[in-house]
Amino acid sequence: MVLFVVFALIAIVAAVGVIISRRPIYSALFLLLNFASLAALYIMLQAQFLAAVQVIVYGGAIVVLFLFVVMLLGGGELNDIRDTNRPFLQRFGWQRFVAVGLGVLMVAGLGYGLVTGELSAVQGDPAAFGQGSVQAIGSVLYTDYLLPFELASVLLLVGMIGAVVLARPPE
Amino acid sequence: MDWINLVLIPGIKSVILVVVLLTGFAYATWLERKLIGRFQLRLGPNRAWPFGLGHPIADALKMIFKEEIIPARADKLLYVIAPALAIAPALLIFAVVPVGPGITLFGQTISLQVADVNIGFLWVLAVASVGVYGVILGGWASNNKYSLLGALRTSAQMLSYELPMGILLIALLLTTTLGTADGFGTLSLNQIVQMDRPWWLWLWIWIAFPFFFITMLAETSRKPFDFPETENELVAGFQTEYGSIKFALFYMTEYLHIIGACGVAVSVFFGGWRGPFVEQVPILGPLYFAGKIIALIFLFIWASASVPRPRYDQLLKFCWTWLFPVSLIYLAITAVIVTLA
C-alpha cells in the first residue's frame, strides 16, 4: 500500500513535469517516467500482463517515437509560449474550450465510476487479474468485447491512413 | 522462513547472475578479438597470460583509470544517466531466462532462474524495447552531430526490427498451445523450455531461426547492422563523446545484449538447458545452456567477421519490404498448422 502511494505520487509528479518542462526532451522523459510508474501500479494490482504491455507499447514504442521526432526537430528550449507562440495559440480558439469541456467530462465520468464503485468492482477479481491474467484477458477480449476490439483496430487504421494522407507530397 | 524465499535466495541469485554476466561479457570480448583475429589470419590478443586470457582484465583496469571527461556543451544530467539507463535493461533481460532445472540444496528446491514470472516472454520484449533509451539519450545529450545521428539511427532501427521479431515470437507462442495440457499456451520461459512438442513442429520452429537471427543482429546493433556507431561514417556514433568507465558501460551493454539475446533464443529455439542425461544429473543443465549460448555467440562473431555492412536505407527497406511480410506469412502458416494439429 505504501509502495502504491509512492508510485502514484511519482506518476503525478511526472505528469506535472510533462507539462511544465521547458525542453521537449525532458517532457518526453517525464512522460516515460509516468508510464513506468503506471506499469508499477499495474503490477501491484496483480495485473502483470497490463504492466508488460504498458512498458512494451508506451515505454518501448511511443515515447521512442516522441524522442525521435523531438531530436529531428532539434529539441531546443521552448521560448515563453505567451509571447512568441501567440499566433499558434490563436489558431486554437474554440478548440481550447472544447478540450476543457471534454476534460471535465472525463473527470466526471471517472468520479462517477469511483463513487458508485463500478470501477473498483474488478479489483481482486481472480479472473481479470492474477496468475491467469493473459488467458482471462484474451478470452474476454475475443468474445464479450470483440466488437469494440475490432472497432479500435479500425480507429488505428484511420489514424494510419490520415498520417499517410498528411505526409503525401502535394500533387 | 518467508524472507529466505522472498529476499535472500533471489538476492543471492541476482548477485551470482550479475557476476556471471559481467565475467561473460569480459570473456565475450576476448572470444571476439581472438576469433576475429583468426578469421583475418592473425593471432589475436596473446600478450597477457597464456592465450591472451589476461587482456579483458587489463582492459577493465585501463577503462577504470582513464580520465573522465564531460563535454562542456553536453546536457550533463542525461549525459551521465544514459550509460546507466543502457546497462540496467541489458542486465535485467536474463532475470526470466531459466539456466537449468531446479536443484535441491539444503532440503530446498531452488529453480535456476531469478524470477519465474508467467509473463516471461513479454518481460523480454518489454526490457529489450526499453534498452534503447540509453543509446538515444546518450547520443542526444552529447551535443555532437555524429552522436545525434547515431541516436536517431538507433531509434528507427530498433522500432523497425522489433516488428518482425515480435511477430516471429508470436508465431512461436502459438506453437506453445500444442505443448500445454489446457491448450492455452504459456508465456513463461520456464514452461516453454520444459514442454514437449512433436518433432515436426520443432522443424517448423527452426525454419524461423534464420529470420529471428537477423532481427537479433539488428536489435543488438551488431555488425553488420552496427549503424548506431558505424565508425567509417559517424566516428563512433552515439558513444563518440564518451570515455573512461562510461564508455565501458556502453561497451558492456552491447555484449550483454548479445548474451541476453542468445539466452532467449536458446530458450525458445533450442530447448534451453535441456540435453541428454540432464534429468539424472541436474548440474549438466547450466553446462548445456552455457554451451548453446557460446555456440550462438560464435555465430554472432562469425556474421560480424564475414558479412559486409549494408547502407542504412537498405537496412530499413529490407526490414519493411521483406522481413516484415515474411514474418507475417510465417505467422499465418503457423496459425494454420496449430489449428490443424
Side-chain angles (χ1 to χ4, degrees), chain A residues 23 25-26 29 32 48-49 52-53 55-56 58-61 63-65 67-68 71-72 74-75 130-132 134-135, chain B residues 75 77-78 117-119 122-123 125-127 129-130 132-133 136-137 140 148 151-152 155-156 159 162 182 184-185 187:
Chain A
R23 317 192 71 174
I25 203 150
Y26 277 94
L29 289 178
L32 179 65
Q48 299 172 342
F49 175 70
V53 172
V55 174
I56 293 173
Y58 290 98
V63 179
V64 174
L65 277 182
L67 284 181
F68 187 77
M71 285 177 187
L72 271 184
Q131 289 301 304
V134 184
Q135 285 95 329
Chain B
D75 188 318
L77 178 68
L78 292 182
V117 287
N118 66 352
I119 52 156
L122 294 175
W123 169 270
L125 284 178
V127 171
S129 63
V130 172
V132 52
Y133 282 109
I136 296 183
L137 292 178
W140 183 80
L148 183 65
L152 280 174
S155 46
L159 278 177
E162 248 165 45
D182 57 358
F184 268 133
L187 285 167

Side-chain angles (χ1 to χ4, degrees), chain A residues 118-140:
Chain A
E118 275 184 42
L119 274 183
S120 49
V122 283
Q123 200 178 23
D125 183 356
F129 298 116
Q131 289 301 304
S133 59
V134 184
Q135 285 95 329
I137 290 176
S139 55
V140 171

Side-chain angles (χ1 to χ4, degrees), chain B:
Chain B
M1 204 59 209
D2 212 30
W3 67 272
I4 290 184
N5 278 322
L6 283 178
V7 178
L8 190 65
I9 292 179
I12 293 174
K13 280 198 256 187
S14 309
V15 171
I16 293 176
L17 184 68
V18 170
V19 170
V20 170
L21 278 179
L22 293 185
T23 318
F25 145 71
Y27 282 90
T29 64
W30 172 82
L31 188 69
E32 165 153 47
R33 292 170 65 186
K34 206 77 185 163
L35 282 174
I36 296 258
R38 290 290 170 178
F39 278 120
Q40 297 168 347
L41 303 181
R42 293 182 286 117
L43 284 175
N46 62 353
R47 292 290 111 184
W49 299 2
F51 308 109
L53 279 170
H55 280 262
I57 298 164
D59 278 342
L61 287 175
K62 184 188 78 175
M63 291 285 191
I64 292 169
F65 289 113
K66 285 228 171 180
E67 184 187 358
E68 284 205 64
I69 296 170
I70 299 183
R73 299 288 301 277
D75 188 318
K76 298 225 170 35
L77 178 68
L78 292 182
Y79 180 84
V80 174
I81 285 181
L85 272 182
I87 198 165
L91 283 169
L92 282 172
I93 285 188
F94 239 90
V96 294
V97 177
V99 298
I103 53 168
T104 311
L105 214 64
F106 307 119
Q108 278 199 335
T109 309
I110 299 173
S111 68
L112 292 183
Q113 184 185 19
V114 173
D116 183 14
V117 287
N118 66 352
I119 52 156
F121 226 78
L122 294 175
W123 169 270
V124 170
L125 284 178
V127 171
S129 63
V130 172
V132 52
Y133 282 109
V135 174
I136 296 183
L137 292 178
W140 183 80
S142 303
N143 200 6
N144 172 324
K145 55 189 166 210
Y146 297 115
S147 304
L148 183 65
L149 278 174
L152 280 174
R153 285 180 170 192
T154 313
S155 46
Q157 175 174 341
M158 293 284 197
L159 278 177
S160 305
Y161 276 85
E162 248 165 45
L163 280 167
M165 177 180 247
I167 286 178
L168 288 175
L169 285 177
I170 291 173
L172 296 174
L173 273 186
L174 279 182
T175 66
T176 65
T177 56
L178 294 180
T180 43
D182 57 358
F184 268 133
T186 179
L187 285 167
S188 152
L189 281 178
N190 198 18
Q191 286 179 40
I192 289 175
V193 168
Q194 285 181 343
M195 69 175 42
D196 290 309
R197 279 171 284 188
W199 61 269
W200 47 267
L201 196 59
W202 276 114
L203 287 185
W204 176 248
I205 289 175
W206 287 332
I207 288 177
F209 182 70
F211 306 117
F212 190 78
F213 186 69
I214 294 173
T215 65
M216 273 164 67
L217 281 178
E219 286 286 305
T220 53
S221 319
R222 277 291 296 179
K223 300 183 198 79
F225 296 151
D226 57 341
F227 289 97
E229 47 176 298
T230 23
E231 70 277 357
N232 45 7
E233 299 166 22
L234 299 180
V235 190
F238 67 94
Q239 55 198 8
T240 307
E241 298 286 354
Y242 280 90
S244 178
I245 195 71
K246 293 203 219 45
F247 168 76
L249 285 179
F250 275 130
Y251 196 55
M252 251 184 236
T253 308
E254 182 184 338
Y255 283 88
L256 289 177
H257 274 149
I258 296 172
I259 299 175
C262 290
V264 174
V266 162
S267 304
V268 175
F269 285 96
F270 302 111
W273 44 263
R274 299 218 303 185
F277 304 112
V278 81
E279 276 81 18
Q280 288 81 18
V281 194
I283 204 68
L284 277 177
L287 294 180
Y288 285 137
F289 186 74
K292 289 173 181 176
I293 283 198
I294 291 170
L296 271 191
I297 292 177
F298 176 75
L299 206 56
F300 263 83
I301 297 169
W302 194 2
S304 75
S306 44
V307 185
R309 186 190 292 134
R311 282 200 322 265
Y312 187 64
D313 60 310
Q314 290 172 330
L315 172 88
L316 290 188
K317 198 174 175 201
F318 173 75
C319 175
W320 287 98
T321 60
W322 195 80
L323 200 56
F324 184 50
V326 164
S327 56
L328 278 178
I329 293 169
Y330 182 84
L331 174 64
I333 297 176
T334 311
V336 172
I337 289 176
V338 169
T339 321
L340 292 181

Side-chain angles (χ1 to χ4, degrees), chain A residues 32-113:
Chain A
L32 179 65
L33 183 62
N34 180 290
F35 288 150
S37 42
L38 283 189
L41 292 183
Y42 286 140
I43 284 182
M44 270 169 242
L45 293 172
Q46 302 288 313
Q48 299 172 342
F49 175 70
L50 278 185
V53 172
Q54 169 89 9
V55 174
I56 293 173
V57 175
Y58 290 98
I62 291 183
V63 179
V64 174
L65 277 182
F66 284 177
L67 284 181
F68 187 77
V69 173
V70 168
M71 285 177 187
L72 271 184
L73 298 180
E77 197 161 327
L78 274 181
N79 292 319
D80 195 350
I81 207 160
R82 256 164 266 162
D83 288 339
T84 50
N85 288 9
R86 186 172 284 279
F88 177 73
L89 279 179
Q90 273 168 352
R91 280 162 56 195
F92 296 102
W94 54 275
Q95 285 96 333
R96 275 191 278 177
F97 299 102
V98 174
V100 169
L102 287 177
V104 169
L105 259 183
M106 194 183 81
V107 171
L110 272 179
Y112 176 78

Side-chain angles (χ1 to χ4, degrees), chain A residues 5-6 21 31 35 43 51 58 66 99 104 113 120 124 131-132 142 146 149 157 163 166 170:
Chain A
V5 173
V6 169
S21 288
L31 195 62
F35 288 150
I43 284 182
Y58 290 98
F66 284 177
V104 169
S120 49
Q131 289 301 304
Y142 287 107
L146 186 60
F149 180 68
L157 185 66
L166 282 179

